[in-house]
Amino acid sequence: MPNDPRTARLDLQEATTRNDTARHIIAAFADSLPALATYWRIIDTSLSDIAALAAIASAVRLDQANLTAAARATLAAYADGEADCLAYLRDELHAQADRRAAR
């Protein structure tokens, strides 16, 4: 079955749980095989990076969904003859800029 990005969902709780489990396994390996400890620590750091990237991807998906909704609202407002139909896009772009500044 192909990976269809429209139906693939990111379950952050599952990703976090798997990440924690993998980190515990790697810590146990590092303790039992000290000669490989440096490599296990690199892998552990990489797993942390993956969790951080998953959170960023989730935020980007939310921003994209909100921008899509604002674009649809803008088109509907234009069709209805609203005077300032671009207000939806302007408001969403300002909101996204505020969220990025707060991060």
Side-chain angles (χ1 to χ4, degrees):
M1 180 171 159
N3 183 10
D4 186 0
R6 293 173 302 217
T7 60
R9 292 188 60 223
L10 178 65
D11 183 358
L12 289 179
Q13 182 61 42
E14 180 181 350
T16 302
T17 302
R18 287 181 181 216
N19 182 22
D20 289 342
T21 302
R23 292 182 80 181
H24 289 301
I25 291 170
I26 288 171
F29 277 133
D31 291 341
S32 64
L33 300 169
L36 299 175
T38 301
Y39 299 110
W40 294 121
R41 291 193 198 338
I42 290 170
I43 292 170
D44 185 45
T45 302
S46 297
L47 289 172
S48 296
D49 293 344
I50 290 170
L53 290 173
I56 292 169
S58 178
V60 168
R61 281 190 195 101
L62 178 62
D63 284 348
Q64 188 260 340
N66 286 339
L67 194 55
T68 300
R72 288 180 177 153
T74 298
L75 292 173
Y78 177 77
D80 290 343
E82 287 187 28
D84 188 17
C85 56
L86 292 175
Y88 299 101
L89 282 174
R90 254 193 321 274
D91 291 345
E92 180 55 31
L93 291 171
H94 287 306
Q96 287 186 14
D98 291 344
R99 283 193 296 271
R100 283 191 193 100
R103 292 180 199 159

